[in-house]
Amino acid sequence: DLAKAVVAGIITSALGFAWQQSTSIIARESSIPAPVKGGDKTWKSYNLSGPLFFGSTSQFSRIFNVKSDPSNVVIDFTNSRVLDHSALEAI
């Protein structure tokens, strides 16, 4: 049936799109001077690019290295969008 083929094509296309978008989140790391006196002299900044949603939360969590990051970290979402509740939980 043509209808079954169309539905199968739409589902396949949607899954392919979700997979492609889930691997497109990237982060640029940089060190920035501390905006306040005292404590750490430098902070670490992550500038994110790409959508953050249920499909990219595992990729998002692999970006950070908690053991080697300083105690103060800035996450810049200027070039990224948070699309769903799963993304909020990942943050």
Side-chain angles (χ1 to χ4, degrees):
D1 287 287
L2 180 60
K4 290 179 183 177
V6 169
V7 169
I10 290 172
I11 291 171
T12 304
S13 177
L15 290 174
F17 177 76
W19 175 260
Q20 182 182 18
Q21 292 297 311
S22 71
T23 58
S24 67
I25 190 163
I26 58 170
R28 284 179 283 141
E29 300 176 26
S30 62
S31 294
I32 58 174
V36 293
K37 294 182 180 179
D40 292 337
K41 292 184 179 181
T42 59
W43 291 14
K44 191 169 192 177
S45 173
Y46 290 95
N47 187 337
L48 297 178
S49 298
L52 182 58
F53 67 107
F54 70 92
S56 61
T57 55
S58 61
Q59 177 76 14
F60 174 76
S61 63
R62 286 191 293 254
I63 290 172
F64 307 101
N65 188 354
V66 178
K67 292 182 180 179
S68 67
D69 283 346
S71 58
N72 294 308
V73 174
V74 176
I75 304 173
D76 183 4
F77 286 95
T78 303
N79 299 317
S80 182
R81 288 193 172 162
V82 178
L83 300 176
D84 62 10
H85 190 70
S86 299
L88 289 174
E89 287 183 16
I91 295 170

